[in-house]
Amino acid sequence: MCSKQTVYLGVDTGGTFTDFVAVSDAGVQIHKCLSTPDQPERAILQGIEALGLREAARRGELLVVHGSTVATNAALEGKGVRTAFVTNRGFADMLSIGRQTRDELYNLRPPLKAPPVPRELCLEVNGRTAADGTEIEPLTDADVDQLVQQLGRLQPEAVAINLLFSFRDAGAEQRLEQALSSAYPELFVSRSSEVLPEYQEYERGMATWLNAWLGPLVASYLQRLQGELRDTPLSIMQSSGGTTDAANAARRAVNLLLSGPAGGLAGALHMGIARQRPRLITFDMGGTSSDVSLIDGDISLTREGRIGHYPVAVPMVDMHTIGAGGGSIAFIDDGGVLRVGPESAGADPGPACYGRGGRRATVTDANLVLGRLPDNARLGGSMALDREAARLAVAELAANLNMDVEATAAGIVEIANEHMLRALRVISVQRGYDPEDFSLCCFGGAGGMHICALAEGLGCREVLLPGQGGVFSALGMLLAPRERQLSRTLDLDLASCRLDEITAALDTLRQLGKPQLQAEGVTPVDIAEQPSVDLCYQGQSFTLNLPWEDELTPLVDAFHEAHEQRYGHRLDLPVRLVNLRLALRAPSVVSGLPEPAYSQREAQPEGVQRLAFFAGEVPRYQRESLSMGQCIRGPALICERVATSWLAPGWSATLETGGHLRLVR
């Protein structure tokens, strides 16, 4: 499982909590502490200290895999660095014009949006490459010198270079990068032929700009963290569900935008394979947001993701995120209607029950008022909750609604559930999947209190609550493969292209990605390849991704079938091979987890809990005390160190191997 004496530490920095999972031959340790958004590394160092791992780090016996929200938060808050955008003559407005799509189609006076890059920072150079890669106009030394002088006057912190058809010939971009890096060694330079060597200049340009805009922040953070960890190896979780070393991550900020949530999917996939549950709908509810996704044999990736208003065309897990978490704030709108989220109380001051000065009612406060969090609950394993403060916060809303406190709390929970149900339907029903064919996999510190209601609303008959579910994303990071996602636009007619063209392009991608993995200590024999192609009908803009099998005719038939399954029809048109992709994966740093210790006899309730709207009291069990195969029937509360689950009437929970709970109704 683990190298001798090595401790593997997964760290997931969230909006409210930072989660830790330490795995060694001695077993599994978990920890939670409040995040420190101003300096995320402070919470990480606090966790290492609390877990007693400082000496292991000093001796070189600690390895850290980290999911960071630095890039995500900076993008959502619009707090990137001053960035210049360099493109071809006549295309300075490329990112401002975009695809000219509207958020509100019939609004004739939409609000003005600030362009991603201010006009004065959009720079143009001569030199032009044609669609086939031939040179139309050369990039001269004078052009390069002029750009260097312009940037000297503007003094940006980062530069994004995005020239037309640079995926055909990257020479001009490489030349500009070398000149700028030589003139300004501290300047962060990002070029599109490295970030996303694919067609569609707007999407490629946005990815390159995001990478440059966020890159210095990510690089600075990882540099500070690595400085504190000294010689401790540091890997970073990527949005695609695999890890990379910190040095590569510092150059690829755009690939980290779903860093934390991707860890949960890696853990869910690992558990699903082990439990022979290849079809999962995942639900990850934390303090700030809820993330939902669908796994049908493997993690689905998308190249049509978004972060805020910005399209993100690099590979990232196909996930739907909403602002509904334990810290989501309840309020009364101008029409007198109770609403919940997306604004969150965050880690500071947090929900009212944290006792840190928060006065606005949140979902966590409502659950506490309803009794779904027990009287002796310790949030994150250590923080006592202030029930009276929670009640006062909910009571303020109740008075304005002319309702009693418990009914208002129940309304807050019900509204939050509806938000989350809508998200779950988006990634299942609206895509043609029947939720009854899937198991609902719930993790995150807050999800267990809502999962039975969500399963009933969605139509799922089975729920899986993983062992260590309250810190599952941190655990998943240790189980994620070391990975590189590589791509290149070919744009060939599939019927007339030659196999040797595709084979040669694949070899080029291999030669780029394999040395990077080998530099992380991966041996060539351990690298698995997963080639795939993006196909579409002639004239279409959107593609479908299919596995590459070294044969052309079966691939055409497979595309027709995939198109009919997705869109309900097939067309009598030529098929084009747009992009070639290659995923290179090596085994995770932790290949398996030690089996937890189980009680030898069935656990009895450790106490009872009075819940609102229930006559009498319900039993309260400690999850760590349950015996293998023990079955609990609802209503009941199942408590653990970093999470609490509400087992509703009509549901039963059985403890299975791995410490997982299986809920059925």
Side-chain angles (χ1 to χ4, degrees):
M1 181 195 69
C2 304
S3 299
K4 187 177 181 181
Q5 295 184 327
T6 299
V7 180
Y8 297 93
L9 180 65
V11 183
D12 175 29
T13 299
T16 304
F17 283 101
T18 297
D19 299 344
F20 302 82
V21 175
V23 177
S24 67
D25 290 334
V28 178
Q29 290 179 276
I30 63 173
H31 179 68
K32 270 182 180 279
C33 67
L34 286 172
S35 296
T36 51
D38 55 328
Q39 290 183 301
E41 67 271 20
R42 283 198 293 117
I44 296 176
L45 298 174
Q46 290 170 16
I48 290 174
E49 184 71 36
L51 287 166
L53 297 176
R54 185 172 291 278
E55 279 301 306
R58 187 185 60 79
R59 294 192 301 266
E61 297 172 359
L62 180 68
L63 184 150
V64 177
V65 184
H66 175 34
S68 170
T69 56
V70 170
T72 311
N73 293 342
L76 293 175
E77 295 169 10
K79 295 181 179 178
V81 304
R82 179 176 170 85
T83 303
F85 179 71
V86 178
T87 188
N88 295 90
R89 185 74 60 191
F91 286 84
D93 293 329
M94 179 190 300
L95 301 189
S96 300
I97 295 172
R99 294 293 175 196
Q100 299 195 48
T101 54
R102 298 182 181 182
D103 294 332
E104 301 172 89
L105 184 60
Y106 298 106
N107 186 350
L108 299 181
R109 300 181 66 182
L112 292 177
K113 292 181 182 178
V117 184
R119 178 74 184 185
E120 67 273 13
L121 290 174
C122 295
L123 308 178
E124 299 177 335
V125 296
N126 292 316
R128 186 75 176 266
T129 299
D132 62 359
T134 58
E135 185 179 72
I136 297 175
E137 179 186 16
L139 178 69
T140 66
D141 291 341
D143 297 326
V144 177
D145 291 341
Q146 183 181 15
L147 178 63
V148 170
Q149 292 170 14
Q150 285 178 296
L151 291 173
R153 292 191 298 269
L154 293 169
Q155 294 188 327
E157 294 180 62
V159 175
I161 304 171
N162 182 44
L163 302 184
L164 295 177
F165 303 108
S166 60
F167 57 88
R168 294 290 192 199
D169 183 352
E173 284 195 351
Q174 291 171 339
R175 191 173 159 200
L176 289 174
E177 179 186 34
Q178 291 167 2
L180 296 180
S181 298
S182 177
Y184 309 109
E186 300 300 317
L187 188 66
F188 188 98
V189 182
S190 180
R191 58 179 172 86
S192 69
S193 49
E194 179 183 28
V195 174
L196 189 67
E198 299 178 17
Y199 86 123
Q200 295 183 322
E201 67 279 358
Y202 168 64
E203 287 77 9
R204 178 161 42 90
M206 285 299 303
T208 307
W209 169 70
L210 280 168
N211 196 63
W213 189 52
L214 304 172
L217 300 175
V218 171
S220 174
Y221 165 63
L222 293 179
Q223 198 171 44
R224 295 196 311 269
L225 179 58
Q226 187 70 78
E228 295 286 354
L229 295 175
R230 300 184 184 276
D231 296 328
T232 296
L234 175 63
S235 295
I236 306 298
M237 191 71 190
Q238 302 177 98
S239 301
S240 58
T243 67
T244 185
D245 64 285
N248 184 59
R251 295 285 310 162
R252 304 299 293 264
V254 72
N255 293 88
L256 310 181
L257 291 169
L258 286 182
S259 177
L265 291 188
L269 177 64
H270 184 275
M271 185 198 68
I273 293 172
R275 308 293 310 157
Q276 297 184 335
R277 301 287 199 286
R279 310 190 85 190
L280 299 171
I281 297 174
T282 66
F283 171 64
D284 177 7
M285 183 179 180
T288 303
S289 62
S290 293
D291 304 311
V292 298
S293 188
L294 185 142
I295 296 176
D296 192 4
D298 199 357
I299 296 173
S300 298
L301 300 181
T302 180
R303 283 91 186 167
E304 299 170 19
R306 300 187 72 84
I307 184 76
H309 297 296
Y310 309 125
V312 184
V314 299
M316 57 201 310
V317 292
D318 192 2
M319 180 175 286
H320 187 59
T321 301
I322 60 169
S328 294
I329 294 171
F331 65 99
I332 299 172
D333 67 11
D334 293 339
V337 176
L338 179 64
R339 296 188 179 276
V340 179
E343 186 182 357
S344 172
D348 188 15
C353 62
Y354 283 16
R356 297 167 60 91
R359 297 184 179 277
R360 303 174 70 184
T362 67
V363 175
T364 297
D365 295 312
N367 277 312
L368 189 58
V369 168
L370 293 173
R372 295 185 181 183
L373 281 168
D375 297 328
N376 62 350
R378 293 290 185 270
L379 212 63
S382 59
M383 182 190 298
L385 299 181
D386 188 337
R387 186 176 297 275
E388 185 58 31
R391 189 173 184 85
L392 286 173
V394 176
E396 185 174 338
L397 290 175
N400 292 325
L401 292 168
N402 196 25
M403 296 170 59
D404 65 50
V405 176
E406 285 76 13
T408 303
I412 292 171
V413 170
E414 192 169 335
I415 292 168
N417 285 347
E418 284 302 318
H419 289 327
M420 294 182 284
L421 265 175
R422 191 179 307 134
L424 287 163
R425 292 188 183 110
V426 165
I427 55 93
S428 58
V429 177
Q430 291 184 21
R431 298 186 182 183
Y433 294 100
D434 185 352
E436 194 170 337
D437 297 334
F438 290 76
S439 299
L440 187 56
C441 178
C442 170
F443 47 92
M449 288 178 288
H450 301 260
I451 196 61
C452 289
L454 296 180
E456 290 173 8
L458 194 62
C460 288
R461 296 186 176 275
E462 180 183 71
V463 173
L464 298 176
L465 297 179
Q468 318 298 353
V471 290
F472 199 58
S473 288
L475 179 64
M477 291 168 193
L478 297 177
L479 301 170
R482 288 164 283 184
E483 182 186 73
R484 292 294 186 276
Q485 291 279 347
L486 307 158
S487 64
R488 178 183 172 187
T489 290
L490 298 181
D491 195 25
L492 303 169
D493 179 71
L494 189 59
S496 59
C497 73
R498 304 191 315 272
L499 279 176
D500 61 341
E501 289 180 276
I502 301 173
T503 301
L506 276 174
D507 284 339
T508 300
L509 296 181
R510 286 190 192 98
Q511 292 167 14
L512 178 63
K514 282 192 172 183
Q516 296 180 18
L517 285 174
Q518 289 173 245
E520 294 185 33
V522 177
T523 57
V525 72
D526 288 331
I527 299 176
E529 300 181 7
Q530 186 179 340
S532 64
V533 289
D534 292 344
L535 305 176
C536 69
Y537 286 119
Q538 181 76 43
Q540 284 185 329
S541 298
F542 293 94
T543 61
L544 294 176
N545 182 261
L546 277 75
W548 169 250
E549 301 291 352
D550 292 327
E551 292 185 73
L552 297 176
T553 302
L555 191 59
V556 174
D557 296 335
F559 172 74
H560 287 306
E561 293 176 10
H563 192 280
E564 186 170 16
Q565 180 183 12
R566 182 72 175 267
Y567 300 109
H569 65 277
R570 62 177 69 195
L571 301 174
D572 187 19
L573 289 173
V575 178
R576 295 198 69 79
L577 191 163
V578 180
N579 298 314
L580 179 65
R581 303 189 182 277
L582 180 64
L584 298 175
R585 297 189 178 97
S588 58
V589 295
V590 173
S591 58
L593 299 172
E595 189 71 14
Y598 304 105
S599 173
Q600 296 302 307
R601 56 183 182 178
E602 287 198 353
Q604 298 302 310
E606 65 166 12
V608 294
Q609 181 76 18
R610 183 172 295 279
L611 272 67
F613 307 116
F614 270 87
E617 299 170 322
V618 301
R620 187 175 71 241
Y621 293 86
Q622 196 64 31
R623 180 167 175 170
E624 291 85 355
S625 300
L626 300 180
S627 63
M628 173 59 62
Q630 181 173 355
C631 180
I632 300 171
R633 300 191 181 279
L637 284 179
I638 303 176
C639 305
E640 51 191 303
R641 185 183 168 197
V642 293
T644 299
S645 300
W646 162 236
L647 190 64
W651 286 83
S652 65
T654 304
L655 186 69
E656 299 187 338
T657 55
H660 309 306
L661 276 175
R662 176 174 177 263
L663 278 58
V664 295
R665 65 184 175 103

